[in-house]
Amino acid sequence: MLQLDGISAGYGGARVLRDVSLWLPPKSVVALLGTNGAGKTTLLRVASGLLAPTSGRLSVDGEDLTGKRAHTLARSGVCHVPEGRGVFPTLTVKENILIQAAGGDVGEAVERAVSVFPVLGQKLGQLAGSLSGGQQQMLALAHAYVTEADYVLLDEVSMGLAPVVVDEIFEFLGRLADDGRALLLVEQYVSRALELADYVYLMNRGRIEFAGEPGELDSDRLVAQYLGAH
Ligand code: ATP
């Protein structure tokens, strides 16, 4: 289990997360929803070791990893697919996959990436920055599959993409979940995220204001307050 307990965190003097607790059990899909600026990205950054919390505890499978850096969290099975395109644009597709593989077998990594997104197989020698937005996102997402991470943190991975690409990405997320990975999903397509999710947290102004199963989330008030028109 990836576990955040009583986490507070921020940037400089600005406190963003206030006493946040969130659990991502193995093989589960958890949706993290909330208003703009609520702190969702900040929470994912803490969970993957990119940002150290000012208080609270972060643990993975019972091991206290509070304050550990991202590479340590990665070794413990945590993979963060960041907001925006998480690729190196001036490197080729193959070089990006090589970095994702982090010292593992490159041929095998390429094979795994291409098995989930076949289009990447035709682009291996191209610069990642020359791919379409959707293809760049596929390359970023392949990371989660290539590394066989147990806990995958996904920050708005469908943002700004054509509907047909969004379909493909959600299909991939379903496949990752079926494969036994735990997913923590920050997503603007709320209804699609809830279709996949076993559990949902709603965040507002740096605090968790609701935690429960998607079926409990039928209150009009909650929908209006947090989810806007989606
Ligand atoms: P969104 O849906 O808009 O991406 P979010 O829920 O992911 O929002 P965060 O990106 O975590 O929210 O931001 C939470 C707060 O922290 C916001 O007020 C934001 O302005 C602030 N913030 C985010 N990143 C930084 C940073 N690098 N330095 C200073 N403040 C930041």
Side-chain angles (χ1 to χ4, degrees), residues 11 16 35-42 83 156:
Y11 305 95
V16 175
T35 48
N36 282 343
K40 304 178 297 293
T41 295
T42 303
E83 202 171 8
E156 309 258 17

Side-chain angles (χ1 to χ4, degrees), residues 7 25-26 28 79 83 90 107-108 136 148 150 195 201 214-215:
I7 292 285
S28 67
C79 174
E83 202 171 8
T90 59
E108 201 177 300
Q136 289 187 41
E148 303 186 70
D150 290 325
E195 272 170 32
Y201 290 85

Side-chain angles (χ1 to χ4, degrees), residues 1-229:
M1 171 128 84
L2 172 65
Q3 200 170 336
L4 296 148
D5 286 303
I7 292 285
S8 293
Y11 305 95
R15 197 154 165 227
V16 175
L17 299 180
R18 298 160 190 275
D19 193 21
V20 169
S21 296
L22 177 146
W23 293 2
L24 179 62
K27 304 179 197 293
S28 67
V29 179
V30 172
L32 173 62
L33 307 175
T35 48
N36 282 343
K40 304 178 297 293
T41 295
T42 303
L43 187 148
L44 295 195
R45 290 172 59 82
V46 169
S48 64
L50 290 171
L51 179 69
T54 49
S55 61
R57 184 173 190 270
L58 165 65
S59 67
V60 178
D61 299 334
E63 187 182 357
D64 186 350
L65 297 175
T66 315
K68 298 290 185 206
R69 306 282 284 272
H71 58 89
T72 304
L73 271 296
R75 270 203 302 270
S76 297
V78 179
C79 174
H80 184 179
V81 183
E83 202 171 8
R85 311 279 174 252
V87 300
F88 297 99
T90 59
L91 299 181
T92 65
V93 169
K94 190 172 177 184
E95 287 164 344
N96 269 273
I97 295 171
L98 192 148
I99 291 172
Q100 293 172 357
D105 184 279
V106 179
E108 201 177 300
V110 168
E111 211 171 283
R112 286 180 72 78
V114 171
S115 77
V116 282
F117 295 116
V119 68
L120 296 177
Q122 300 144 27
K123 312 269 177 185
L124 290 173
Q126 285 188 28
L127 297 184
S130 74
L131 302 181
S132 71
Q135 289 164 354
Q136 289 187 41
Q137 191 60 277
M138 289 172 195
L139 177 56
L141 283 164
H143 189 188
Y145 195 71
V146 165
T147 60
E148 303 186 70
D150 290 325
Y151 302 98
V152 183
L153 318 177
L154 300 138
D155 200 351
E156 309 258 17
V157 292
S158 67
M159 178 111 90
L161 300 176
V164 57
V165 180
V166 173
D167 286 346
E168 198 171 342
I169 283 174
F170 271 93
E171 209 173 289
F172 169 70
L173 297 180
R175 187 167 167 183
L176 268 186
D178 290 344
D179 199 39
R181 325 299 187 82
L183 311 183
L184 179 55
L185 209 50
V186 172
E187 188 44 65
Q188 53 168 349
Y189 287 102
V190 167
S191 53
R192 302 189 76 154
L194 292 178
E195 272 170 32
L196 275 182
D198 307 303
Y199 208 75
V200 55
Y201 290 85
L202 292 185
M203 218 177 166
N204 188 28
R205 297 183 185 204
R207 292 182 195 280
I208 300 292
E209 293 200 339
F210 170 89
E213 292 177 14
E216 299 171 53
L217 236 191
D218 54 3
S219 144
D220 289 347
R221 187 185 64 80
L222 281 175
V223 170
Q225 187 174 348
Y226 289 97
L227 312 182

